[in-house]
Amino acid sequence: MTDSQTTVGPLGTNPTAPAPAGVRTAADVVTPEVVAQLTRGVVGSGRTANHTPFTGEKLADLPESTPEDVATAFERARAAQPTWAATPVRQRAAVLLRFHDLVLQRQAEILDLIQLETGKARLHAHEEVQAVAVVARHYGRKAPSYLRPKRHTGAVPVLTKVSELRQPRGVVGHISPWNYPLELSVGDALPAFVTGNAVVMKPDTETALTALWARDLLIEAGLPAEVFQVVLGDGPVVGPAVVKHADYVSFTGSTRTGREVAQAAAARLIGVTLELGGKNAMLVLHDADIEKAAAGAARACFSSAGQLCISIERLYVHESVADAFVERFAARTKALRLGSALAYGADMGSLVGEAQLETVKRHVEEAVAKGAKLVAGGVHRPDIGPLFYEPTILEGVEAPMAVCTEETFGPVVSLYRFTEEEEAIGLANATPYGLNSSVWTRDAKRGHQVAARLRTGTVNINEGYASAYGSVQSPMGGMKDSGLGRRHGSEGILKYTEGQTIAQQRLMPIGPAFGMDDEKYAAFMSRSLRVMKSLHLR
Ligand code: NAD
């Protein structure tokens, strides 16, 4: 790298990461043979296409599904589901464990596809590989115990024998966005498969090849092809058709679309999980390790160019450390290398689409016009690619500015200084969203106390987002407008099941018996209930 490429100047000077010699291009990766192989998995009679954000060029011609195609996909999935559900759970779990190994072995292929379809840096694409591997391992190992029939004490102990079964829901409709196309498509579908469901998936068209590649890999790992159907096309057309036929819906995307999906699911009385937007806050307390907090903030604000639902868009820093923090955070931000090569080296990639770029520009320009100060970035970089935008730090942001309250979903963070911890907690909670937050302190006890008062589904202490997200035995999801339901842990798998209670009555019925009249029976039952409580029955 030359000196000029590493120079850190005042604003708008992020260095570029040069492409190493001999790296692959889009044409090397997305060949006609690859497209033909992957798109065999789509039920679609129309035509559409997707594009790479790196250059704006077309990547692949793709099938497009009509609402009738969606109905066909559900018919096929429904026909195949009972056989899959009858497969022993250990066999289903073994598919996930093989998938874990395959995705790690073949990661170079999927890293190329994720980069090309999303425009993200390779390191951020690798976060998706890690995330699906962890989820596959967890449910591959733990599904048999999550799903094992449970014995419970019955209505009348000894006389009533009870077991709780977990039945698959049937066919799950799974709708996912473009920003984490491997993890949010197949990663979130793995627990649905292992519980014996079939899935009809609608990934975003712009990132369809990633989801289709993962489908092929799951089939290679042993999943019957028919239980995994894929449909593609316009969200407002294909999405509602998926909800119309599904037995359960798993949706990840914006809060606006999530509300529509919830209404359609409510009308059909089917369950739904909604993983929605955020306006996530990081609190840097007075005793934080400033160096580590600045490095953590650079990761948490600019991973995937900020197009990460759990990324940090609001930074609250204690005034006693604010100057030192800003200096370090700004230096790190300005040093982030931007690039589009299919190789490691760049620290940040591109935005995914024109609409995203417009939102980022609008939020930054409006804030600056109304008096906010640019500490770093604020510059569109078409010299690297049409949708590149520098990682941006703003100070002096106030409530009427859109960037203060709306999700930007781009590489833009607003920094606020506070004096009292109480004030910072209040400000962090003063949003309709409640997805993720982060607290930095050297005092672990204080960190936990503050964390418990933050109204977000996940809180990371001395990390931005990855500690909580990667801890897949625990639930992950949003409070308030950030969602409904959870992925990961027991909630993330049991939601794909219906609880079924089977109670077998033995020796005597629950009702008057042995010649008792109603009054005697009522007195007998009242005595029995008192005894049961004194025996500490639950
Ligand atoms: P989006 O809501 O526009 O689209 C998400 C998916 O829904 C896409 O597949 C889209 O085609 C489909 N869709 C669009 N209209 C639909 C409709 N009427 N009915 C059914 N489906 C429809 O969201 P997006 O812009 O693709 O994704 C970015 C948003 O997703 C951000 O708000 C981000 O915070 C959120 N997100 C949340 C999580 C999480 O886990 N909480 C994860 C990633 C992204």
Side-chain angles (χ1 to χ4, degrees):
M1 194 178 290
T2 65
D3 283 343
S4 67
Q5 282 165 330
T6 55
T7 303
V8 178
L11 280 177
T13 54
N14 277 88
T16 52
V23 295
R24 295 160 305 287
T25 63
D28 298 328
V29 175
V30 186
T31 61
E33 294 73 32
V34 166
V35 176
Q37 157 82 18
L38 297 181
T39 54
R40 283 180 322 173
V42 183
V43 188
S45 45
R47 303 303 297 167
T48 182
N50 72 356
H51 306 81
T52 175
F54 282 144
T55 59
E57 285 162 356
K58 184 161 89 174
L59 265 184
D61 287 310
L62 300 167
E64 183 169 48
S65 314
T66 61
E68 293 71 35
D69 293 326
V70 176
T72 303
F74 271 90
E75 272 167 34
R76 290 179 189 168
R78 217 171 277 294
Q81 187 265 335
T83 309
W84 174 238
T87 306
V89 62
R90 288 196 178 278
Q91 246 168 279
R92 299 197 304 258
V95 172
L96 270 59
L97 293 173
R98 280 194 294 275
F99 179 76
H100 168 278
D101 295 347
L102 285 172
V103 87
L104 291 178
Q105 268 166 31
R106 307 250 307 264
Q107 59 180 284
E109 293 168 36
I110 193 60
L111 290 173
D112 283 350
L113 278 179
I114 294 173
Q115 279 202 275
L116 283 169
E117 291 199 314
T118 63
K120 67 175 75 177
R122 201 166 188 83
L123 182 65
H124 303 149
H126 198 268
E127 287 184 357
E128 297 205 51
V129 169
Q130 296 169 37
V132 287
V134 170
V135 168
R137 185 194 70 214
H138 177 66
Y139 288 123
R141 293 247 189 270
K142 289 265 295 184
S145 67
Y146 281 132
L147 301 175
R148 186 171 296 135
K150 290 192 177 60
R151 294 287 299 272
H152 297 297
T153 307
V156 184
V158 184
L159 302 186
T160 319
K161 186 181 164 197
V162 174
S163 52
E164 175 194 330
L165 303 190
R166 288 282 151 190
Q167 302 285 10
R169 289 189 182 266
V171 184
V172 172
H174 185 70
I175 303 174
S176 57
W178 44 263
N179 65 325
Y180 275 68
L182 177 65
E183 185 179 348
L184 301 176
S185 61
V186 167
D188 276 350
L190 293 175
F193 287 124
V194 81
T195 45
N197 292 285
V199 172
V200 174
M201 178 176 293
K202 195 212 91 58
D204 195 288
T205 304
E206 290 300 336
T207 51
L209 294 175
T210 298
L212 288 166
W213 181 90
R215 175 183 184 267
D216 270 15
L217 207 68
L218 255 177
I219 292 165
E220 196 177 323
L223 185 79
E226 291 288 296
V227 302
F228 190 173
Q229 303 286 330
V230 177
V231 291
L232 287 181
D234 241 14
V237 178
V238 180
V242 169
V243 180
K244 182 178 165 192
H245 296 283
D247 299 318
Y248 185 83
V249 175
S250 149
F251 173 85
T252 303
S254 63
T255 297
R256 185 183 47 76
T257 311
R259 283 189 207 284
E260 289 179 35
V261 169
Q263 279 165 8
R268 295 198 51 235
L269 288 180
I270 56 167
V272 58
T273 309
L274 303 169
E275 302 284 356
L276 309 177
K279 188 75 185 172
N280 310 305
M282 174 183 286
L283 276 60
V284 181
L285 306 188
H286 70 92
D287 63 345
D289 181 325
I290 295 305
E291 200 62 59
K292 287 186 183 158
R299 284 195 302 276
C301 299
F302 307 125
S303 254
S304 287
Q307 299 164 113
L308 166 65
C309 55
I310 47 184
S311 76
I312 299 297
E313 296 198 358
R314 299 180 295 147
L315 254 169
Y316 296 99
V317 187
H318 193 271
E319 60 167 6
S320 63
V321 292
D323 286 343
F325 176 84
V326 170
E327 189 190 327
R328 287 166 176 76
F329 180 41
R332 284 184 177 276
T333 300
K334 290 174 191 173
L336 294 175
R337 293 158 304 169
L338 311 187
S340 61
L342 300 182
Y344 290 104
D347 302 309
M348 202 182 95
S350 171
L351 290 166
V352 79
E354 199 60 47
Q356 222 44 51
L357 178 65
E358 286 313 312
T359 305
V360 167
K361 280 184 173 171
R362 179 168 57 80
H363 281 193
V364 174
E365 284 163 15
E366 185 218 22
V368 171
K370 288 185 175 162
K373 185 178 127 213
L374 272 170
V375 178
V379 181
H380 179 203
R381 289 289 296 272
D383 55 309
I384 309 170
L387 303 171
F388 276 80
Y389 194 92
E390 294 199 343
T392 300
I393 307 171
L394 291 164
E395 266 213 82
V397 168
E398 287 174 3
M401 304 172 191
V403 73
C404 184
T405 50
E406 292 174 24
E407 183 184 44
T408 308
F409 219 54
V412 182
V413 63
S414 308
L415 190 144
Y416 309 86
R417 297 167 188 239
F418 69 88
T419 47
E420 301 295 332
E421 225 162 79
E422 201 58 31
E423 175 199 356
I425 294 169
L427 289 165
N429 285 336
T431 166
Y433 293 112
L435 191 56
N436 179 44
S437 55
S438 162
V439 183
W440 291 76
T441 173
R442 285 192 170 91
D443 179 345
K445 190 170 164 210
R446 174 179 234 98
H448 281 272
Q449 282 166 352
V450 171
R453 296 184 58 201
L454 294 171
R455 298 284 299 150
T456 56
T458 50
V459 188
N460 294 266
I461 299 174
N462 295 334
E463 229 309 310
Y465 62 90
S467 301
Y469 196 93
S471 301
V472 296
Q473 290 194 27
S474 283
M476 186 273 153
M479 295 185 185
K480 302 193 275 181
D481 286 1
S482 289
L484 203 61
R486 296 287 182 269
R487 58 163 67 88
H488 298 169
S490 59
E491 288 177 63
I493 183 167
L494 296 183
K495 69 186 181 186
Y496 290 122
T497 67
E498 301 265 21
Q500 184 183 44
T501 297
I502 299 180
Q504 178 195 348
Q505 194 61 23
R506 298 185 287 195
L507 300 175
M508 62 177 283
I510 300 184
F514 309 121
M516 278 183 208
D517 62 19
D518 289 358
E519 197 173 348
K520 284 207 173 98
Y521 171 71
F524 167 74
M525 282 310 289
S526 299
R527 263 196 317 279
S528 302
L529 287 170
R530 288 189 192 100
V531 171
M532 283 189 227
K533 180 167 180 271
S534 67
L535 291 174
H536 293 279
L537 286 192
R538 279 174 285 172

